[in-house]
Amino acid sequence: MKKLLALFLIIGLASCKSPEARYPVSQKSGSYIDESVARNKKLVAQEEQYIKNLMAEDSTTSYQASADGFWYYYNTKVADSITNDHPEFGDIVDFEYSISSIDGQTIYAEGEKPRRTYAMDQEKLFSGLRQGLKLMKEGETVTFLFPSHKAFGYYGDKEKIGTNMPIITKVTLYNIEKQTNNELDNQ
């Protein structure tokens, strides 16, 4: 009986011990993420330098740098005195575009992609084109030079555009249908 009582006493005292934290068997240092970031920074720098070299070789075209990390020039520019309207959030734009590789090889010819109606910032569209449309006015044609991270990035378009491929996109903006606040609230 004393042995049984001593056993219960030992078990009772042992169970009062506070739980100890369990440590992982192995720890990851995050080196894979650091390597990936370094690799991507190097890729972006190479693509941007290549695009800058292309622009430097073309002295006949007046390129502009966007605040969003791509370059562009106007094929057809609408004078500010005619309109100052640029598409904004929720506006419906009607546009058409073609895509070629940064070397000038046609990927999607003019007319190959159907004319598109797009609700600004409310539908899926690659980031460079979405940002580029905001720089345009109705009736303008603009050619954009996008590094791969502003185009289709790592995944490409799963059809003709490959991994990490910088592209040239020629866009014609036909119409901007301005949306009022009431129309946006009803959607």
Side-chain angles (χ1 to χ4, degrees), residues 25-185:
V25 175
S26 66
Q27 293 181 343
K28 304 245 181 207
S29 66
S31 63
Y32 174 77
I33 292 173
D34 295 339
E35 291 170 11
S36 178
V37 167
R39 194 172 42 251
N40 288 334
K41 283 183 178 180
K42 184 178 176 185
L43 176 68
V44 167
Q46 287 173 341
E47 289 178 3
E48 288 180 354
Q49 188 58 50
Y50 186 80
I51 291 171
K52 287 176 183 175
N53 291 343
L54 279 176
M55 292 185 301
E57 291 172 8
D58 183 7
S59 61
T60 61
T61 305
S62 178
Y63 291 93
Q64 296 181 38
S66 79
D68 295 310
F70 57 87
W71 295 264
Y72 62 99
Y73 64 89
Y74 289 91
N75 302 79
T76 306
K77 184 166 176 59
V78 172
D80 286 338
S81 60
I82 296 172
T83 181
N84 282 333
D85 286 342
H86 294 274
E88 296 174 353
F89 179 84
D91 290 347
I92 308 297
V93 295
D94 179 26
F95 69 98
E96 189 171 42
Y97 66 103
S98 62
I99 298 176
S100 56
S101 69
I102 203 71
D103 304 358
Q105 300 295 318
T106 301
I107 298 172
Y108 294 106
E110 288 188 41
E112 188 174 345
K113 287 273 195 191
R115 196 162 156 168
R116 177 140 184 216
T117 301
Y118 169 71
M120 290 300 296
D121 297 327
Q122 295 181 331
E123 297 177 43
K124 190 174 181 179
L125 194 64
F126 71 90
S127 70
L129 184 53
R130 186 174 59 246
Q131 294 161 339
L133 284 167
K134 292 176 185 177
L135 300 173
M136 298 178 70
K137 297 177 194 168
E138 197 172 283
E140 289 184 332
T141 300
V142 178
T143 299
F144 297 98
L145 287 77
F146 296 120
S148 64
H149 68 279
K150 287 292 175 183
F152 292 91
Y154 178 76
Y155 293 104
D157 74 341
K158 304 214 187 315
E159 290 178 30
K160 296 182 179 183
I161 298 174
T163 298
N164 295 326
M165 188 174 185
I167 60 172
I168 298 173
T169 305
K170 184 177 177 183
V171 182
T172 301
L173 181 57
Y174 295 109
N175 187 37
I176 302 171
E177 184 182 320
K178 293 299 218 178
Q179 298 295 303
T180 63
N181 288 341
N182 290 340
E183 290 172 325
L184 291 174
D185 291 339

